[in-house]
Amino acid sequence: MKTRALLLGLLTLLGTELARAQGLGPAPSSFRVEWERRTGFWRPAVEGYVYNESDYRIGNVRLRVTVLDDAGKPLTEKSGWVYGAIDARGRGHFVLPLPESGQTYKIAVDSFDLLARQAQTQ
């Protein structure tokens, strides 16, 4: 009985790794981030959207914000979240407070959870 359970566990793990190796799910190029500085508020922030151009609904989207100096070299990094799920071919809104104003930023999707494949609507 233990052998059967162990074999089933290994087959499940192998299937999961095989699916990941075949590239199922969104790639980093499946996401586009548009943002702008938030003005008119007392604390510096950026506001924008993450566009999910894949066929999968995603959630727990974590963003990495890199603060750049005038020469384009990284100074610091900060993380933030896009709250809620982003449907396939949809977008999610975010507002990220920043430690400094007046800098240049680079914002990219750092990680996400794959929730489900969604059928394309016409």
Side-chain angles (χ1 to χ4, degrees), residues 1-119:
M1 191 60 135
K2 286 184 180 181
T3 304
R4 183 180 289 181
L6 180 61
L7 183 58
L8 182 60
L10 286 174
L11 287 174
T12 302
L13 181 62
L14 179 63
T16 303
E17 291 303 315
L18 183 61
R20 183 176 299 158
Q22 290 177 350
L24 298 178
S29 62
S30 300
F31 307 110
R32 182 170 44 94
V33 180
E34 289 182 357
W35 62 272
E36 61 185 27
R37 284 187 174 88
R38 193 171 190 189
T39 58
F41 294 88
W42 61 274
R43 187 171 181 190
V46 291
E47 180 174 19
Y49 293 95
V50 173
Y51 291 85
N52 175 10
E53 298 175 353
S54 76
D55 294 330
Y56 294 85
R57 184 172 197 230
I58 60 171
N60 294 324
V61 178
R62 186 179 175 122
L63 300 175
R64 180 186 314 142
V65 180
T66 306
V67 180
L68 306 171
D69 67 10
D70 293 335
K73 294 182 181 178
L75 294 174
T76 61
E77 285 189 346
K78 179 177 172 57
S79 295
W81 297 95
V82 178
Y83 294 104
I86 304 175
D87 288 332
R89 310 281 179 218
R91 69 181 187 174
H93 181 258
F94 65 88
V95 176
L96 300 174
L98 296 171
E100 305 172 34
S101 64
Q103 299 289 328
T104 302
Y105 309 103
K106 179 179 157 186
I107 303 174
V109 173
D110 192 36
S111 65
F112 60 90
D113 288 341
L114 187 63
L115 299 179
R117 186 176 182 124
Q118 289 184 308

